[in-house]
Amino acid sequence: MGQWRRLAKEAIDRTLIVAKFFGFLHVTSTYLCSSNLVLGPSMLPTLNLTGDVVISEHVSHRLGKLGRGDLVLVRSPENPRKIMTKRIVGMEGDRVTFFLDPNFAERCRTAVVPKGHVWIQGDNIYASNDSRHFGPVPYGLIQGKVFFRVWPPDGFGYLE
């Protein structure tokens, strides 16, 4: 009977170690930093069409430390299952002028970013679904700030 008790105790101890490890991974990737694969044409030429692996931190947006020009991960207001990478172009209170169709400069509009929102756009205005289509994005949809590219190797380093 003592041998079974010892085996059960060892199994419980190992299970707790694994559970703590997964808990640590969850907290780290949710509240500190995570790696993300970014695909698609909307952030050309900053990010590659075929995909970049980037590191994003999840502290700045919680402290209100984001600004114009920052690359951010944003939960899509149109499809909550989708996470997009875009650039902040306007903060609350800013007046943003944008083209409805980049091919026709005379078709532009101006919007004021409301309190608690940001205006996001892709760097490739010809192939980006962004605030020009769905309007200002609530600050709460921001998931993190992208700051470092780890793949591909020729693009390794901090992102502007």
Side-chain angles (χ1 to χ4, degrees), residues 42-43 85-87 120-125 128 130 132:
S42 74
M43 288 306 294
T85 303
K86 303 293 180 193
R87 188 174 303 279
I120 57 169
Q121 286 182 209
D123 289 351
N124 181 1
I125 62 171
S128 180
D130 50 35
R132 293 172 298 144

Side-chain angles (χ1 to χ4, degrees), residues 7 11 19 42 47 61 67 86 90 93 95 111 113 121 123 131 137:
L7 282 174
S42 74
L47 300 174
H61 74 281
K86 303 293 180 193
R95 183 175 300 275
V113 182
Q121 286 182 209
D123 289 351
S131 287
V137 175

Side-chain angles (χ1 to χ4, degrees), residues 8 27 33 36 44 51 55 57 74 93 105 112 114 131-132 145 151 159:
V27 168
C33 68
N36 303 87
L44 283 170
I55 305 293
E57 54 91 2
V74 179
V112 176
S131 287
R132 293 172 298 144
K145 178 180 173 181
W151 190 265
L159 291 166

Side-chain angles (χ1 to χ4, degrees), residues 15-153:
T15 302
L16 286 174
I17 289 171
V18 171
K20 287 177 187 177
F21 175 73
F22 282 120
F24 174 76
L25 282 181
H26 171 72
V27 168
T28 300
S29 67
T30 303
Y31 299 105
L32 296 178
C33 68
S34 64
S35 62
N36 303 87
L37 176 62
V38 179
L39 293 167
S42 74
M43 288 306 294
L44 283 170
T46 306
L47 300 174
N48 295 306
L49 176 68
T50 55
D52 288 356
V53 176
V54 297
I55 305 293
S56 60
E57 54 91 2
H58 306 288
V59 178
S60 293
H61 74 281
R62 288 186 171 94
L63 300 176
K65 301 288 185 188
L66 294 176
R68 282 173 221 81
D70 287 343
L71 287 178
V72 290
L73 296 175
V74 179
R75 188 167 301 281
S76 170
E78 298 176 320
N79 179 2
R81 291 179 154 181
K82 184 179 176 186
I83 302 291
M84 310 180 299
T85 303
K86 303 293 180 193
R87 188 174 303 279
I88 295 178
V89 175
M91 302 296 288
E92 61 182 49
D94 288 352
R95 183 175 300 275
V96 180
T97 301
F98 60 98
F99 299 106
L100 294 173
D101 184 349
N103 296 315
F104 299 101
E106 66 275 356
R107 295 186 63 200
C108 68
R109 289 209 178 135
T110 301
V112 176
V113 182
K115 185 174 178 68
H117 289 68
V118 293
W119 189 272
I120 57 169
Q121 286 182 209
D123 289 351
N124 181 1
I125 62 171
Y126 296 100
S128 180
N129 187 26
D130 50 35
S131 287
R132 293 172 298 144
H133 301 96
F134 46 73
V137 175
Y139 207 81
L141 292 181
I142 296 175
Q143 303 294 300
K145 178 180 173 181
V146 176
F147 69 95
F148 201 84
R149 178 182 7 222
V150 294
W151 190 265

